[in-house]
Amino acid sequence: MVVALILLLVAIGSVLFHLLSPWWWTPIASNWGYIDDTISLTFWITGAVFVAVVAFMAYCVFRFHHKEGRKAAYEPENKRLEWWLTVGTAVGVAAMLAPGLVVWHQFVTVPADASQIEVMGQQWRWSYRLPGKDGKLGTSDVRNVSSDNPLGLNPGDAAGQDDVVIESGDLHLPIGKPIKVLLRSVDVLHNFYVPEFRAKMDMVPGAVTYFWFTPTRTGSFDVLCAELCGIAHAQMRSKVIVQEEGEYQAWLEQQQTFAELSGQRRTLKATYQVSGE
Amino acid sequence: MVDVLSDTNTGITPAEVVDVELYHPKSWWTTYIFSQDAKVIAIQYALTAMAIGMVALVLSWLMRLQLGFPGTFSFIDPSQYLQFITMHGMIMVIYLLTALFLGGFGNYLIPLMVGARDMVFPYVNMLSYWIYLLAVVVLVATFFVPGGPTGAGWTLYPPQAILSGTPGGNEWGIILMLASLILFIIGFTMGGLNYVVTVLQARTRGMTLMRMPLTVWGIFTATVMALLAFPALFVAAVMMLLDRALGTSFFMPTLQEMGQLMKYGGGSPLLFQHLFWFFGHPEVYIVALPAFGIVSDLISTHARKNIFGYRMMVWAIVAIGALSFVVWAHHMYVSGMHPQFGFFFATTTLIIAIPTAIKVYNWVLTLWRGDIHLTVPMLFALAFIVTFVNGGLTGLFLGNVVVDVPLSDTMFVVAHFHMVMGVAPIMVVFGAIYHWYPKITGRMLNDGLGKFHFWVTFLGAYAVFFPMHYVGLQGMPRRYHDIGETSFIPASAHDLNAFISVAALIVGAAQLVFVFNLAWSLFKGKEAGGNPWGATTLEWQTPQTPPAHGNWGKELPIVYRWAYDYSVPGAPRDFVPQNEPPGGFAVQGARA
Ligand code: HEM
Ligand SMILES: [Cu+2]
Ligand SMILES: [Cu+2]
């Protein structure tokens, strides 16, 4: 029976594609291996159900397709069977949901020793901010955003003076330390997305959102925007560079703080004005 | 169980409906154009929906050309790509599928299947169509206004939807889009009230709720849901229109645009998302439930077997309808809403999987020990099960909050929702058209063309959307006209994208065969007769085919049994119409 055969081939083909095709997720670079595990588990359970249902259908088509003299059975209900199937499904669903919720609990519980960093999205670029020596990020306000103060820090907030501001460069992070990423946007929704970290979250103007993760592999990773933010959404790129502690510190030394940047700008302006007179 | 099967009482007198209740058209105009006959309105809805659907199909070609062969087609730039996805998504979901299932199939089938002469408010029903048409005209107009249609994505998320960084955001595109949606909802409400009241009030004698065909149950429940869900979209659209046109700040926080501080402040972008998805998630089932109902009837009829577990099927439809109002925020797991919501919405979402799975089991169990006629409608029904199961199962990934985190906003999501609410319902639409075309026109659609159309569409669509999951799994975001340079997408993925695009073009082209078949069979198709499939439901028992105005001649039919008396032991034929009085044969083995 051609129809039955094709149905069966669709099921088998899907499984073979899954197992043999080269297209799979990128190697992970964060602590969220549990997420990958939950996806794998879900693939196994749902894959088995898919094959079972389609194979059963194919068998029915093969076995019961119309022939001269065939008459269908008359069987309106079968309570026992229906209950068994319901209970079986509930068990399967619970087997996926339970680990999922456990991992979600970890995902939303930020470790106390996580260090905070800030990512800011803007049509269509990324900026970053790292706390200075005081370990604290200063307050900010979108009303302060200007070309002199791209992240909108409050000039009066002492905690913000030593914050490291990275306006158009890459973000560097030390390996092995939990990071809480605070997310902000000045204009529209964006989403800070690094496929290798598995985590992502929207950035919402007027609010601060967050997620946390621990980098587990050194290297350079693409940052993409995963929430439609206008015409150049697909071109909104940057990089995260995960380094060993020593290299990271060396890089950090070279970055400029908010105070240095605004000081510089003030000096620049002053020089300009002097020379212009 | 036996209580829903058949009456032993033969002493019910038929109901005569006095003629004055129906409006009788007096001219060509009131017969075919400003018609108040639900059957004509159904055809108007269906033709309009399919026409605008063709626009969405062409847009999908353009998008696939760009994705499969980035950089080759210079006439598609990034902002056009966004306009294409937006219009394609919006048209497919609302103006095609919602309109076709409820306005098209609902209008045609509800009165006939419940044994009514027409909808209860024919005039309002007519208005419903004309307002829908107006909504479509306004939608199409956005292609021609300065700035073009909106490119905000079909979800229209603010702030970007009404700002200048998005195509149409500070021009006419978004305004007309919102206006069109508002019109659509007004028109739908008029039709929707009709469908609900007709099912509740105008059923013929003997047609108890638990004897209604599942098609009617599906459309009825979907309509109730739509009447409850669309108001959320309505208020969201009105508020956004005010934000855009009058500068209010319902959804707009303090923000800067391109270095300028805007006058907005204090609004909440997340509020819009909640309103949108309070509508948007039920919308998925507004499309799915009619499909569930229709496909149940297709399977039962063409397998010559009663639907398995009818009462479970009804309760599953109702349960899904109710539950789908408490899962909306599964679309917002990474929106920045409070993380505790994740626990609640993941749980409710996965619970819905249970009644949904029951439906699947009952469809395949209906095939078991059936007498399966592999007609074109049956083939489409089988394809529906395959694609729906596939798409439903990937829903378990995206519903399980933490699994959604890496997958959300990638092509995995695009693949998932196309499989489950694009391909699967469309399979049912095709199956239903092949099934009811003979009743609507009196002629059969050509079988050979139908089978060709089926195989290319089913296998082609599967080839488009199955591999697409893996593109998403690799991390390719959605709504990207071009992924460009990355370190994580291998070159081979571009070949896969090209393959998907070629498959999409072929699937699209096969629809021309279908359109040709529709037109050709109208004149050249085989004469169908009144009941070519040997079906039990009332629409196949009308005195004329196509059914005349008023549907039933002088007397309304009386219903003695449920809709699924196929292959009843002892019956002379392998089906017993719902209006066939008991007697002549004994119902044996009714208790299985
Ligand atoms: C041959 C058939 C179809 C093809 C090839 C196709 C292709 C596409 C493509 C390429 C996208 C854009 C993906 C992206 O870059 O984000 C898209 C988006 C979409 N499609 Fe389809 N599609 C088809 C049929 C349908 C159907 C039947 C529906 C009905 C539910 C549908 C609903 C949508 C929606 C809602 C979107 C999302 C738009 C957005 O992101 O705002 N499509 N489709
Ligand atoms: Cu973006
Ligand atoms: Cu949903």
Side-chain angles (χ1 to χ4, degrees):
Chain A
M1 261 304 294
V2 194
V3 178
L5 195 66
I6 295 180
L7 287 175
L8 202 61
L9 285 179
V10 167
I12 296 174
S14 304
V15 173
L16 290 181
F17 184 95
H18 179 87
L19 295 175
L20 301 180
S21 85
W23 302 294
W24 194 239
W25 58 48
T26 56
I28 192 166
S30 81
N31 59 318
W32 293 122
Y34 284 132
I35 295 185
D36 285 1
D37 296 343
T38 318
I39 299 185
S40 292
L41 173 76
T42 313
F43 261 123
W44 284 111
I45 295 180
T46 56
V49 173
F50 179 68
V51 172
V53 172
V54 178
F56 181 84
M57 253 172 69
Y59 178 74
C60 287
V61 170
F62 167 73
R63 178 72 183 67
F64 303 113
H65 71 267
H66 177 66
K67 277 203 205 112
E68 214 36 60
R70 173 157 357 257
K71 190 158 185 201
Y74 189 74
E75 188 192 24
E77 287 188 341
N78 182 337
K79 278 270 154 55
R80 264 176 50 131
L81 180 60
E82 289 176 65
W83 279 113
W84 272 114
L85 288 170
T86 309
V87 171
T89 309
V91 171
V93 165
M96 290 178 282
L97 181 61
L101 292 184
V102 170
V103 181
W104 178 247
H105 180 75
Q106 297 173 5
F107 190 79
V108 299
T109 315
V110 186
D113 61 339
S115 47
Q116 300 198 337
I117 65 158
E118 181 186 79
V119 180
M120 199 178 81
Q122 193 174 353
Q123 284 173 332
W124 287 278
R125 59 203 168 90
W126 303 98
S127 320
Y128 305 99
R129 182 155 65 113
L130 306 169
K133 300 257 163 357
D134 63 355
K136 272 195 285 192
L137 288 169
T139 53
S140 63
D141 189 323
V142 49
R143 290 180 194 82
N144 298 335
V145 173
S146 66
S147 51
D148 287 355
N149 185 357
L151 295 185
L153 271 74
N154 285 329
D157 185 350
Q161 298 304 320
D162 64 349
D163 288 1
V164 170
V165 174
I166 303 157
E167 207 190 321
S168 50
D170 299 333
L171 172 67
H172 290 235
L173 292 174
I175 189 171
K177 290 203 175 142
I179 310 267
K180 179 178 186 184
V181 189
L182 298 172
L183 301 161
R184 279 201 301 135
S185 164
V186 263
D187 39 36
V188 302
L189 304 176
H190 301 276
N191 186 313
F192 183 69
Y193 173 42
V194 180
E196 287 87 347
F197 294 162
R198 301 299 187 256
K200 67 158 86 75
M201 192 56 70
D202 277 5
M203 337 184 49
V204 184
V208 179
T209 57
Y210 67 89
F211 67 83
W212 79 275
F213 73 104
T214 308
T216 54
R217 184 154 68 82
T218 56
S220 160
F221 306 104
D222 290 313
V223 176
L224 290 84
C225 179
E227 186 63 74
L228 181 56
C229 57
I231 294 166
H233 167 55
Q235 283 97 332
M236 189 168 156
R237 303 286 170 97
S238 171
K239 279 197 165 44
V240 180
I241 299 176
V242 177
Q243 293 170 309
E244 298 294 344
E245 183 68 34
E247 297 170 57
Y248 170 74
Q249 288 301 340
W251 168 82
L252 195 59
E253 289 300 309
Q254 293 167 4
Q255 303 310 308
Q256 288 188 309
T257 64
F258 176 60
E260 283 166 2
L261 272 175
S262 35
Q264 233 177 43
R265 286 204 171 100
R266 236 171 281 135
T267 342
L268 270 177
K269 257 192 202 148
T271 357
Y272 180 76
Q273 272 163 0
V274 170
S275 58
E277 265 167 20
Chain B
M1 185 63 225
V2 140
D3 55 330
V4 302
L5 289 182
S6 69
D7 277 335
T8 42
N9 174 9
T10 45
I12 313 172
T13 50
E16 277 184 40
V17 169
V18 217
D19 238 10
V20 289
E21 281 191 12
L22 277 190
Y23 171 83
H24 287 288
K26 297 181 187 59
S27 67
W28 185 86
W29 278 99
T30 46
T31 314
Y32 294 108
I33 306 298
F34 294 102
S35 171
Q36 299 187 23
D37 186 325
K39 297 185 293 299
V40 178
I41 297 172
I43 293 166
Q44 293 174 324
Y45 253 113
L47 291 180
T48 312
M50 287 199 284
I52 190 73
M54 292 305 277
V55 175
L57 183 70
V58 171
L59 292 175
S60 80
W61 283 350
L62 296 175
M63 286 153 15
R64 276 319 318 182
L65 283 179
Q66 168 63 27
L67 289 181
F69 313 97
T72 315
F73 300 93
S74 53
F75 61 93
I76 308 176
D77 63 26
S79 73
Q80 274 170 334
Y81 184 79
L82 292 180
Q83 293 170 320
F84 294 166
I85 62 163
T86 307
M87 297 309 275
H88 162 83
M90 198 64 103
I91 291 174
M92 285 290 190
V93 173
I94 298 198
Y95 299 84
L96 171 65
L97 286 179
T98 308
L100 187 56
F101 272 122
L102 302 182
F105 289 111
N107 263 314
Y108 202 89
L109 295 174
I110 290 174
L112 280 166
M113 283 189 147
V114 302
R117 292 204 180 277
D118 206 319
M119 288 289 178
V120 288
F121 311 122
Y123 186 79
V124 178
N125 207 22
M126 173 183 78
L127 279 185
S128 160
Y129 169 72
W130 289 101
I131 297 176
Y132 164 64
L133 184 65
L134 186 61
V136 171
V137 169
V138 173
L139 184 82
V140 172
T142 65
F143 284 101
F144 302 102
V145 294
T150 168
W154 89 283
T155 48
L156 303 178
Y157 279 3
Q160 54 102 12
I162 58 173
L163 295 179
S164 63
T166 297
N170 61 343
E171 287 171 282
W172 281 100
I174 186 69
I175 292 186
L176 292 182
M177 180 77 251
L178 295 169
S180 171
L181 283 175
I182 289 172
L183 286 170
F184 181 92
I185 296 169
I186 294 172
F188 168 76
T189 306
M190 294 180 163
L193 288 172
N194 249 310
Y195 317 151
V196 171
V197 179
T198 303
V199 169
L200 292 179
Q201 296 292 317
R203 297 191 312 278
T204 189
R205 292 201 184 172
M207 179 61 85
T208 60
L209 287 176
M210 290 310 270
R211 278 181 182 168
M212 291 198 306
L214 288 167
T215 296
V216 178
W217 266 111
I219 296 176
F220 170 71
T221 314
T223 308
V224 173
M225 290 172 63
L227 287 171
L228 296 172
F230 270 116
L233 180 65
F234 188 88
V235 292
V238 170
M239 289 179 187
M240 199 197 285
L241 204 53
L242 292 174
D243 279 5
R244 167 66 181 77
L246 301 183
T248 56
S249 291
F250 291 103
F251 305 131
M252 304 294 278
T254 308
L255 58 87
Q256 287 216 5
E257 195 198 19
M258 316 280 168
Q260 289 296 316
L261 191 65
M262 313 261 319
K263 290 215 181 66
Y264 295 114
S268 163
L270 281 186
L271 174 62
F272 177 88
Q273 298 184 22
H274 282 294
L275 288 171
F276 183 87
W277 289 113
F278 190 87
F279 144 78
H281 186 80
E283 170 63 28
V284 176
Y285 287 95
I286 290 166
V287 171
L289 290 185
F292 288 0
I294 290 171
V295 84
S296 307
D297 289 353
L298 296 186
I299 292 174
S300 175
T301 306
H302 295 269
R304 317 307 297 155
K305 185 158 176 274
N306 62 76
I307 194 77
F308 181 79
Y310 171 80
R311 285 188 296 184
M312 268 295 216
M313 292 299 254
V314 170
W315 289 118
I317 286 182
V318 174
I320 292 171
L323 280 171
S324 68
F325 278 96
V326 290
V327 300
W328 77 89
H330 63 207
H331 299 271
M332 298 169 58
Y333 288 145
V334 296
S335 68
M337 68 176 178
H338 196 289
Q340 298 298 335
F341 276 150
F343 294 103
F344 176 79
F345 284 103
T347 308
T348 53
T349 302
L350 266 68
I351 288 176
I352 283 210
I354 299 171
T356 311
I358 290 175
K359 300 205 67 87
V360 173
Y361 301 145
N362 288 4
W363 291 321
V364 294
L365 287 170
T366 301
L367 296 173
W368 179 252
R369 294 167 67 204
D371 171 21
I372 301 171
H373 291 244
L374 291 169
T375 55
V376 178
M378 178 54 118
L379 292 174
F380 275 108
L382 296 174
F384 163 81
I385 300 180
V386 174
T387 49
F388 181 75
V389 170
N390 191 293
L393 289 169
T394 50
L396 292 170
F397 290 70
L398 301 170
N400 200 354
V401 52
V402 83
V403 177
D404 179 61
V405 171
L407 298 177
S408 82
D409 286 306
T410 67
M411 291 306 276
F412 188 94
V413 175
V414 176
H416 154 72
F417 70 68
H418 275 91
M419 205 62 118
V420 80
M421 80 169 304
V423 181
I426 291 272
M427 291 294 136
V428 176
V429 166
F430 287 136
I433 291 175
Y434 283 94
H435 182 76
W436 277 295
Y437 186 89
K439 178 54 54 177
I440 298 169
T441 64
R443 290 177 188 273
M444 309 293 286
L445 281 165
N446 181 287
D447 206 52
L449 290 178
K451 291 208 161 119
F452 174 80
H453 173 225
F454 166 75
W455 285 113
V456 178
T457 307
F458 168 49
L459 296 177
Y462 199 81
V464 170
F465 294 112
F466 184 76
M468 195 185 280
H469 291 90
Y470 294 83
V471 181
L473 203 61
Q474 286 185 320
M476 161 94 177
R478 70 189 280 201
R479 295 167 169 172
Y480 269 35
H481 69 288
D482 186 354
I483 181 71
E485 284 293 308
T486 64
S487 57
F488 60 93
I489 304 260
S492 62
H494 299 294
D495 302 335
L496 184 58
N497 260 326
F499 167 80
I500 291 175
S501 294
V502 172
L505 292 174
I506 295 175
V507 172
Q511 306 320 307
L512 300 178
V513 176
F514 173 65
V515 173
F516 171 78
N517 197 354
L518 286 183
W520 185 82
S521 302
L522 197 55
F523 305 102
K524 296 281 167 69
K526 213 168 68 204
E527 293 275 352
N531 190 359
W533 311 115
T536 56
T537 41
L538 291 181
E539 80 277 21
W540 298 103
Q541 327 303 335
T542 52
Q544 294 102 341
T545 294
H549 186 56
N551 292 349
W552 306 106
K554 205 160 153 37
E555 282 178 0
L556 291 179
I558 300 181
V559 170
Y560 298 96
R561 60 191 72 245
W562 70 333
Y564 301 99
D565 265 345
Y566 288 102
S567 305
V568 181
R573 293 180 296 179
D574 69 352
F575 69 104
V576 190
Q578 285 192 276
N579 61 343
E580 185 162 305
F585 68 94
V587 180
Q588 299 163 0
R591 281 174 201 280

